[in-house]
Amino acid sequence: MILIDILKQHKKLNLTPFFSELEKLISEQKELFANPKGNSLKYSLALNNLPSIEPSYCQLDSHRVAVNSNCPISDKIAMELKSNLMELGPWRKGPFDLFGVKIDSEWQSWIKWNRFIDKIEPLKNRKILDIGSSNGYYMFRMAAHNPKMVLGVEPQQAFYFQYLALQKYLNIENIFCFPIPFDALPNLTNYFNTVFCMGVIYHRRSPLDMLKKINEMMRAGGELIIETLIIESDEHICLSPVDRYAKMRNIFFIPTVKVMESWLRKVGFCNIKTLDISTTDHQEQRKTEWIETESLTDFLDSKNPSKTVEGYPAPVRAIFSARAI
Ligand SMILES: C[S@@+](CC[C@H](N)C(=O)[O-])C[C@H]1O[C@@H](n2cnc3c(N)ncnc32)[C@H](O)[C@@H]1O
């Protein structure tokens, strides 16, 4: 079971000092899995009903993370695979190709990946944390760079179960995920060499507290890659939406570049660089058959797409790197 493997490898991963905290966390999670209810029951059934297929090879270093078999699967198995994968939707991050079943996710996640991968420290041999790892798309892309390990934390059950479904076939042994929010992760002090925190900070009521805890978990000299919605302005200001932003309920603070830089400095990061600033467009985020919900077109003012439906500036995202001291 994927949850337990991280402890089996604790010596190799230098996790022994945190063994008892991780063990406690895992026993709580096992409890949750022993009696699935509501959505977790639905997702557990879909996961258990995925057909057994022997994978022959996987491809992690291309836009579409893929796994395939030397013997082509029958149409019946392909339909079984697709219908159970669809039960695990909405598929926001991707794309993936599982034995020819192409998961066309809402986001073309490789576009973001390409914006930063050549601008950050090489990931080889690093211990990496991915906060808000969703279904693991970026963790699988990282795995192609031979890190020592990648740990994801993802509190939304649908995305966590998607990760388990993908791991069933990809079976990458040094990537792990906990179905918990970052706050619930024991403080693995001075542990990680690289931390990714992408698309999460604006969901936090207290972004500075989150950045401080991230900093504590990093080794001196480690690299943080943080991606956030931003407001384009030279001023030192932050948007705190009255209610929703682009129809999202849980958006608390959208900083300008200056504010993001000052938050990072305040909690002890240095060498802060802006790696990219991009406006989200319909190539990157759009509705597909793999999501039932709305997408970018529905979030923007149809008469003035430079504004959200609430009248705020349309989504622009920035990626920063920063060094832990
Ligand atoms: C906008 S998505 C970004 C996913 C991915 N990191 C990316 O950049 O494409 C935000 C993800 O963070 C997760 N999330 C929200 N709050 C979180 C928290 N406190 N700790 C960890 N993950 C969180 C959400 O469930 C969601 O999967």
Side-chain angles (χ1 to χ4, degrees):
M1 172 73 167
I2 291 149
L3 278 170
I4 297 164
D5 285 351
I6 194 165
L7 285 185
K8 286 198 183 135
Q9 298 187 41
H10 70 97
K11 284 195 184 127
K12 187 172 129 198
L13 298 175
N14 304 330
L15 275 168
T16 311
F18 310 109
F19 190 93
S20 60
E21 283 173 289
L22 290 173
E23 198 177 38
K24 185 163 168 278
L25 185 64
I26 286 168
S27 64
E28 285 163 12
Q29 298 310 321
K30 277 204 300 203
E31 199 71 10
L32 214 81
F33 279 89
N35 296 303
K37 293 186 190 81
N39 272 344
S40 67
L41 180 61
K42 175 184 147 190
Y43 298 139
S44 296
L45 284 174
L47 183 68
N48 291 334
N49 289 336
L50 286 170
S52 296
I53 309 170
E54 197 55 49
S56 307
Y57 54 94
C58 58
Q59 194 171 13
L60 305 173
D61 59 354
S62 70
H63 291 178
R64 197 180 279 277
V65 169
V67 57
N68 236 309
S69 168
N70 287 334
C71 330
I73 61 169
S74 66
D75 289 350
K76 182 171 170 283
I77 296 286
M79 272 171 59
E80 208 179 302
L81 177 60
K82 185 170 179 181
S83 69
N84 284 298
L85 289 171
M86 283 203 141
E87 283 291 303
L88 295 172
W91 286 80
R92 301 226 176 270
K93 311 298 168 181
F96 299 94
D97 179 342
L98 305 186
F99 309 100
V101 173
K102 293 188 169 43
I103 303 175
D104 187 13
S105 51
E106 177 190 17
W107 286 82
Q108 296 280 327
S109 303
W110 54 270
I111 296 178
K112 190 192 294 186
W113 176 261
N114 286 353
R115 288 183 184 128
F116 65 75
I117 188 60
D118 293 330
K119 298 179 184 170
I120 65 172
E121 295 289 326
L123 299 177
K124 192 170 164 48
N125 282 332
R126 294 205 155 212
K127 290 180 282 186
I128 302 174
L129 175 65
D130 186 7
I131 301 169
S133 51
S134 188
N135 58 27
Y137 176 85
Y138 292 113
M139 297 205 289
F140 295 119
R141 297 296 307 268
M142 292 170 207
H145 291 248
N146 299 315
K148 184 152 190 170
M149 65 94 88
V150 188
L151 173 63
V153 283
E154 175 48 60
Q156 280 210 44
Q157 285 191 355
F159 306 148
Y160 176 69
F161 276 88
Q162 287 169 19
Y163 162 78
L164 294 180
L166 294 162
Q167 267 289 46
K168 175 181 167 76
Y169 300 117
L170 288 160
N171 200 17
I172 311 290
E173 69 156 11
N174 61 340
I175 72 174
F176 311 92
C177 187
F178 287 128
I180 54 167
F182 174 63
D183 332 39
L185 186 66
N187 201 340
L188 308 178
T189 319
N190 298 330
Y191 184 73
F192 293 101
N193 308 103
T194 300
V195 175
F196 289 88
C197 177
M198 303 194 295
V200 179
I201 197 81
Y202 46 77
H203 289 312
R204 305 305 303 145
R205 285 171 198 275
S206 179
L208 283 158
D209 288 341
M210 180 181 209
L211 291 172
K212 187 164 171 288
K213 182 171 171 183
I214 292 174
N215 188 277
E216 287 165 5
M217 290 206 193
M218 294 180 66
R219 297 186 70 80
E223 187 176 36
L224 168 67
I225 293 95
I226 183 155
E227 190 243 22
T228 179
L229 288 164
I230 57 155
I231 295 299
E232 288 189 294
S233 161
D234 287 336
E235 289 182 72
H236 194 103
I237 55 168
C238 218
L239 171 66
S240 178
V242 173
D243 184 17
R244 297 186 179 211
Y245 172 85
K247 295 197 182 173
M248 288 183 279
R249 248 179 282 120
N250 52 354
I251 303 286
F252 295 101
F253 298 104
I254 304 182
T256 57
V257 167
K258 276 191 181 153
V259 167
M260 190 68 229
E261 287 171 350
S262 81
W263 285 350
L264 288 166
R265 267 194 301 274
K266 271 188 186 142
V267 299
F269 287 98
C270 66
N271 203 12
I272 299 156
K273 294 181 193 149
T274 305
L275 304 183
D276 182 79
I277 297 180
S278 297
T279 302
T280 304
D281 65 17
H282 296 91
Q283 186 203 2
E284 189 172 2
Q285 185 188 18
R286 74 278 191 266
K287 193 163 170 63
T288 74
E289 67 163 326
W290 290 84
I291 63 157
E292 284 167 357
T293 50
E294 294 179 314
S295 193
L296 185 62
T297 314
D298 312 291
F299 305 149
L300 301 180
D301 180 339
S302 56
K303 295 198 184 82
N304 179 5
S306 71
K307 299 277 183 203
T308 67
V309 287
E310 300 86 4
Y312 294 121
V316 174
R317 291 174 171 265
I319 306 174
F320 303 85
S321 67
R323 191 151 312 288
I325 305 171

